[in-house]
Amino acid sequence: FSSNNNKTIFKYPMCVENCIFNSCKSHSIGGAIGCGDNDFTGLSLSTGDLLIYNCTFNSCIGLYGGCIGYLDGYGYYYEELNIIQCIFDGCSAAFGGAIFTMSYDFNVEFTTFVRCRELNSLEEIYLECENAMRPDKEFDALSKFYSFIYLKMDYNANVQINECIFQENSCPLEMYCDGTLSFTNCLFERYDCLNLIELRYIRIHRTSEGAIFDNCTFQNHKGDSAIVG
């Protein structure tokens, strides 16, 4: 985005600004927002790009992505999901209580994730979780893998998470990434899940960086580990 006469101008095919999503639900992808050019339209190289700016998501649930579900992107489509200055509060899903993404680039800035949690028993029935398929094709029990951000990205993906706050979340981030994963100036505090960040599959592909945590703070953790990789 750019600034012109003190007004912010966003140059994306799709832009969601200054919105509030309360108690949105989906039996499939994205309780509030579902997107992804490769799976939806397949019409061009850019129409799948999405910017979400200054939005609040409260108590949204879904099967894949309680708030935002973003389907496949890859090198040809080069789809981007950009989230700036948003709040995700009390959201839940089988995979990605706040965000489920398989985009090509994933960027989050100045965003707060608070009180994101596992699904409760009634929500599991509503979403028919017993029929859910793991997007990473693992065979582990579904109940072990609730997460509030779920990433499954390949094709030398680029993940940037900057200036974000993670507070009182009771389930972890689960990340599978073929590329570079970077957290910068983030605060993680008062969480009680077993492991806060689970880097289940970080494969270095055409890059030597892998996973980077730069100037991040982890405090008041009640689980076993902050980062497991």
Side-chain angles (χ1 to χ4, degrees), residues 187-229:
L187 171 64
F188 303 86
E189 65 175 352
R190 299 197 305 275
Y191 44 91
D192 57 8
C193 49
L194 183 64
N195 304 306
L196 173 62
I197 302 174
E198 299 187 355
L199 307 177
R200 296 192 173 279
Y201 179 63
I202 301 297
R203 185 175 69 185
I204 298 173
H205 178 64
R206 295 196 298 274
T207 179
S208 60
E209 286 83 4
I212 301 170
F213 297 86
D214 183 12
N215 198 35
C216 293
T217 299
F218 299 83
Q219 60 189 26
N220 300 320
H221 175 42
K222 297 179 182 178
D224 284 356
S225 302
I227 303 173
V228 173

Side-chain angles (χ1 to χ4, degrees), residues 2 5 21 34 43 48-49 71 80 83 105 108 141 146 195 207 210:
S2 62
N5 296 326
F21 299 86
L43 296 178
D49 294 349
L71 298 181
E80 300 178 13
I83 299 170
D105 277 1
V108 186
Y146 286 123
N195 304 306
T207 179

